[in-house]
Amino acid sequence: MTDKHLFKPIEWAGNTLKNRMVLAPLTRGRAGESRVPISIMGDYYTQRASGGLLITEATGISSEANGWVGAPGIYTDEMVQGWKAINERVHKADGKIVLQMWHTGRASHSDFHNGELPLSASAIAINDDGGIHTPNGKKPFEVPRAMTKDDITRTVADYKQAAINAKEAGFDGLEVHAANGYLLNQFLDSRSNQRDDEYGGSVENRYRFLGEVLNAVLDVWPAEKVGVRLSPNGVFNDMGADDFRETFLYVAKQLNALKLGYLHVMDGLAFGFHERGEPMTLAEFRAVFDGLLIGNCGYDQATAEQRIADEDADMIAFGRPWITNPDLPARFANDYPLAPSDDMSRWYGGGAEGYSDYPAYKAE
Ligand SMILES: Cc1cc2nc3c(=O)[nH]c(=O)nc-3n(C[C@H](O)[C@H](O)[C@H](O)COP(=O)(O)O)c2cc1C
């Protein structure tokens, strides 16, 4: 077929992954008000099962974690059953799939929570005029409520229960979402975290919450099946502080000590850059993290090949190109043309259209 680096199999958590292409987590808002995964989501993931590893769209660990219209959850029996049906189909198609565990924190709104304010490290709102899509239309971001220690303890328990549920649903592993300005990222970032207790201030303190979440998850899953996503360069959801490099190198070292199976770093700048110094590179993470390293953000086939050839990454995650090209690995392997990207308005829900109806390549 090809001697391209992206198509060399790789070992992950006792599995041989068939290639180095990872389906990036992509929120598509198809689960409706119930947040129960539905069959067109199974179509979408099964169509993409030729990837070496699939990461699900961000999935709420509790109702408190929600902040996106139509995003799925994993905190009720129906949700577990919905995911189970999807995972059985993906496995039948010879795919491997991990669940991205999500708590939106302040990137939410009281309209999602019966009028209760969203939670965060500190009472500091996201400074972004774009606002947030709520169940009642677009609204400005609110000043969140700073989490108490009880809130933190309860949320750690929610992560553990979600990890138990993910096992029941038949996932092959978990990705803890600590990127893109959501709750765990809000604790890591020294602008959004202004706490003066043991969860704020020093980098050790700002990491504490993520460390507790990981310890809870690792009570349920072996470390090799657990990964973490970080976005050290990202500005999305008003992230970025001057000490970003110190913060994320410290975090990566802690994740290495836990012997996690992979670290997923959005090193590219295509999703917005905070411009608080030279962007962090995969090579910097490679130097401190021994498990598999996944790069992401703005990659095409050539740049992905180069990163793996340079041994700066083991795998590369692709997001937007995979939306309109369900058979992206075959297109890369055979040099088939790519379908152009599509209108992102269909990000916000709908049915199969603009979601699971993109065709695989057919020669004319
Ligand atoms: C429609 C859409 C939905 C996304 N949803 C998520 C998500 O649920 N979790 C996450 O960590 N990142 C999410 N992202 C970010 C992508 O995973 C990825 O990092 C980004 O698209 C850059 O990679 P790309 O250039 O290959 O698309 C989303 C991006 C897009 C365009």
Side-chain angles (χ1 to χ4, degrees):
M1 180 160 88
T2 169
D3 58 359
K4 293 166 181 162
H5 291 93
L6 280 171
F7 295 95
K8 291 192 179 132
I10 188 164
E11 294 299 307
W12 167 75
N15 301 290
T16 303
L17 304 181
K18 53 189 177 263
N19 59 53
R20 311 291 184 99
M21 293 178 66
V22 178
L23 175 67
L26 293 167
T27 291
R28 304 303 307 280
R30 257 58 181 189
E33 266 182 53
S34 71
R35 303 190 181 277
V36 174
I38 56 173
S39 67
I40 56 166
M41 292 166 59
D43 298 339
Y44 166 88
Y45 287 109
T46 308
Q47 288 161 1
R48 289 158 182 77
S50 59
L53 185 65
L54 314 186
I55 305 172
T56 70
E57 63 210 277
T59 298
I61 56 143
S62 64
S63 70
E64 212 170 47
N66 292 329
W68 200 284
V69 174
I74 185 130
Y75 51 86
T76 68
D77 284 347
E78 293 74 24
M79 292 167 181
V80 171
Q81 294 313 316
W83 280 119
K84 202 175 202 172
I86 292 172
N87 292 336
E88 282 167 6
R89 291 178 62 191
V90 168
H91 289 149
K92 221 175 253 169
D94 196 28
K96 297 284 174 205
I97 181 164
V98 303
L99 175 76
Q100 192 185 51
M101 304 176 84
W102 199 22
H103 192 309
T104 56
R106 67 177 184 169
S108 184
H109 191 277
S110 55
D111 282 10
F112 287 100
H113 307 289
N114 299 318
E116 299 280 325
L117 286 174
L119 302 176
S120 189
S122 300
I124 302 171
I126 292 178
N127 181 12
D128 182 344
D129 294 340
I132 177 163
H133 285 273
T134 78
N136 309 310
K138 212 159 188 202
K139 298 207 173 166
F141 283 110
E142 296 168 313
V143 177
R145 180 167 73 73
M147 288 171 79
T148 63
K149 284 187 194 162
D150 281 351
D151 293 325
I152 290 175
T153 305
R154 184 183 64 255
T155 304
V156 169
D158 288 341
Y159 272 98
K160 183 167 181 177
Q161 185 59 51
I164 293 168
N165 294 351
K167 213 168 214 186
E168 167 71 23
F171 282 103
D172 297 297
L174 297 178
E175 175 170 295
V176 174
H177 191 355
N180 291 343
Y182 294 109
L183 182 65
L184 294 168
N185 200 172
Q186 291 158 27
F187 271 76
L188 296 177
D189 185 290
S190 62
R191 277 195 317 118
S192 51
N193 183 344
Q194 306 265 326
R195 300 175 72 95
D196 54 12
D197 64 1
E198 68 266 36
Y199 293 95
S202 65
V203 60
E204 290 83 356
N205 283 355
R206 284 181 276 123
Y207 169 76
R208 191 176 309 282
F209 182 33
L210 175 56
E212 290 179 1
V213 164
L214 287 170
N215 283 333
V217 165
L218 295 177
D219 278 349
V220 185
W221 286 80
E224 61 175 358
K225 296 191 175 182
V226 175
V228 166
R229 190 175 219 212
L230 300 175
S231 52
N233 301 321
V235 73
F236 187 69
N237 279 328
D238 192 16
M239 285 288 100
D242 290 342
D243 60 355
F244 71 103
R245 178 165 265 105
E246 178 200 345
T247 299
F248 285 101
L249 281 177
Y250 176 85
V251 170
K253 284 180 194 162
Q254 303 311 304
L255 304 183
N256 191 52
L258 293 174
K259 300 198 180 335
L260 297 189
Y262 75 72
L263 175 57
H264 182 181
V265 178
M266 291 171 67
D267 59 297
L269 309 181
F271 215 57
F273 174 36
H274 52 55
E275 298 185 349
R276 286 172 186 268
E278 282 299 305
M280 290 189 74
T281 63
L282 292 174
E284 287 177 86
F285 286 95
R286 188 64 127 183
V288 295
F289 187 80
D290 300 324
L292 293 185
L293 189 59
I294 304 174
N296 168 252
C297 208
Y299 282 92
D300 60 17
Q301 184 176 357
T303 51
E305 281 291 331
Q306 194 60 52
R307 259 332 166 272
I308 297 177
D310 292 345
E311 299 187 352
D312 283 338
D314 299 296
M315 304 181 81
I316 296 291
F318 299 89
R320 288 164 290 190
W322 222 319
I323 291 177
T324 48
N325 293 278
D327 55 340
L328 192 63
R331 298 209 193 202
F332 281 180
N334 300 299
D335 295 321
Y336 296 153
L338 294 188
S341 63
D342 208 349
D343 172 6
M344 277 299 110
S345 63
R346 291 189 285 202
W347 186 351
Y348 297 105
E353 200 194 337
Y355 178 59
S356 54
D357 63 347
Y358 294 108
Y361 179 74
K362 268 203 203 83
E364 297 289 305

